[in-house]
Amino acid sequence: MTKPPLDILLCAPRGFCAGVVRAIDAVEKALAIHGAPVYVRHEIVHNKYVVESLRRKGAVFVRELDEIPDTEAPVIFSAHGVPKSVPEAAAARNFLAIDATCPLVTKVHREAQVHYKRGRRIILIGHAGHPEVVGTMGQLPEGVVTLVETVADVLALEPAEPDNLAFVTQTTLSVDDTQEVVDALKGRFPSIAGPHKEDICYATTNRQGAVKRVAPQVDAMIVVGSPNSSNSQRLREVAEREGCGLVRLILRAEDIDWSLFGNLRSLGVTAGASAPEVLVEEIIDAFAARYAVTVESVSTADESVFFPLPRELREQAAE
């Protein structure tokens, strides 16, 4: 039988960002220098495929440092950042600690610390329990940072010093949702201080921009990524908001529910910042087995950002 035609619009940019590349490279470089095992606190990035690939190479993932035996092996902190208590605990045990926190997350940490030194109380816009939020709040003493997720949270705020506030944001949020919360903060607290440059990272912004372009043009959209990936979930939400009737967040081709994708003429495909391109290709190949596929790339931004490896690994490689 003749395959039905299917036009695939492939979002660009998509997939790995510079911070994710740096974090994965940090684990692989540590393995190359020191051999296995290399311990990693939490998932280095939120993608099961990536984590399992690194595990096969000798990375050992733990939730907390107390799961690690006394060792001379490297201990790597994930791209999401960690509270100050974590490197302090690592130093107390003489671990060879390597911080793979994304530099754009570190920027948010520094902003919060500067505001605190200037005597301000800090509002953090983010998702409760996300590792990045836990790490950012953990840069400062307990009670200094207040987390808000929604406009309703902002309206419920009763700060002790309403004229002495600052805000920072998680880097992987929805650009539109975050702007609504920022507008609400500025409306309630006109003197609130904010970042000089947007905290939401370039990769999150660019990937959401590409989805906004593609989603209204297609019958369905697939976001390649893991369910626990914040930026991937935000891409799904953006596609839905832009009017695409069928949007699914999918990790692997084997996860596709083909009963949902029966009568397509057009499909949009993007990938979260922690999803490797091999998974995008796998999903396109799965559709190509069932449809006569044509693929068109829809580009909305050029990316050339590069972050060097963590200093500890650069020094070790030089030695």
Side-chain angles (χ1 to χ4, degrees):
M1 293 179 63
T2 304
K3 295 177 183 178
L6 178 65
D7 295 327
I8 294 180
L9 298 186
L10 189 57
C11 293
R14 65 183 176 277
F16 279 178
C17 63
V20 164
V21 170
R22 175 180 183 266
I24 295 170
D25 285 352
V27 178
E28 293 185 333
K29 177 63 75 171
L31 285 165
I33 294 172
H34 298 278
V38 166
Y39 293 93
V40 185
R41 183 185 179 274
H42 289 186
E43 294 183 351
I44 188 70
V45 296
H46 281 161
N47 188 277
K48 183 179 178 181
Y49 178 92
V50 172
V51 168
E52 290 302 323
S53 174
L54 293 172
R55 185 176 278 125
R56 288 193 296 271
K57 295 176 181 179
V60 177
F61 293 88
V62 299
R63 289 197 58 81
E64 300 298 342
L65 297 186
D66 58 15
E67 298 172 39
I68 302 173
D70 291 337
T71 181
E72 295 182 356
V75 176
I76 300 180
F77 307 145
S78 80
H80 310 101
V82 295
K84 275 189 172 181
S85 58
V86 173
E88 289 170 357
R93 294 187 61 189
N94 294 316
F95 284 154
L96 173 57
I98 297 170
D99 188 356
T101 300
C102 173
L104 298 179
V105 174
T106 300
K107 166 184 168 288
V108 176
H109 291 180
R110 288 174 178 160
E111 287 171 354
Q113 290 163 347
V114 168
H115 288 309
Y116 177 63
K117 288 178 181 176
R118 292 176 178 172
R120 296 171 179 141
R121 289 298 179 263
I122 296 142
I123 309 297
L124 169 61
I125 305 171
H127 293 296
H130 188 278
E132 183 182 331
V133 166
V134 174
T136 299
M137 295 185 76
Q139 300 305 305
L140 296 172
E142 190 171 346
V144 170
V145 182
T146 300
L147 178 66
V148 298
E149 299 190 57
T150 64
V151 171
D153 292 339
V154 173
L155 298 178
L157 286 174
E158 295 294 342
E161 299 179 71
D163 295 326
N164 195 29
L165 300 174
F167 74 89
V168 295
T169 80
Q170 185 180 332
T171 63
T172 56
L173 300 177
S174 160
V175 174
D176 294 334
D177 287 346
T178 304
Q179 190 59 55
E180 292 177 3
V181 178
V182 170
D183 290 344
L185 280 170
K186 291 180 176 179
R188 281 207 65 197
F189 311 108
S191 62
I192 193 169
H196 295 297
K197 185 179 178 184
E198 183 64 62
D199 283 340
I200 296 177
C201 83
Y202 78 94
T204 298
T205 302
N206 290 347
R207 281 148 189 72
Q208 290 180 19
V211 168
K212 287 181 179 181
R213 174 81 63 85
V214 167
Q217 304 180 49
V218 294
D219 299 328
M221 189 132 196
I222 286 178
V223 178
V224 183
S226 291
N228 63 335
S229 164
S230 174
N231 74 84
S232 299
Q233 290 285 6
R234 304 296 79 76
L235 291 175
R236 177 187 58 78
E237 293 170 358
V238 168
E240 292 171 345
R241 181 179 295 139
E242 293 299 314
C244 186
L246 174 62
V247 184
R248 289 294 182 272
L249 175 60
I250 293 172
L251 179 62
R252 303 292 301 269
E254 64 194 29
D255 302 321
I256 299 172
D257 181 351
W258 291 106
S259 67
L260 299 175
F261 295 93
N263 299 309
L264 293 181
R265 291 180 177 272
S266 57
L267 175 71
V269 178
T270 189
S274 51
E277 185 66 10
V278 64
L279 300 187
V280 176
E281 295 169 356
E282 177 185 286
I283 284 172
I284 291 174
D285 287 346
F287 276 92
R290 293 164 173 81
Y291 294 87
V293 164
T294 59
V295 179
E296 176 187 350
S297 180
V298 178
S299 179
T300 56
D302 293 323
E303 291 183 353
S304 57
V305 179
F306 168 78
F307 296 136
L309 284 168
R311 175 180 51 79
E312 300 89 349
L313 287 171
R314 297 198 304 272
E315 293 173 352
Q316 292 164 18
E319 293 172 1

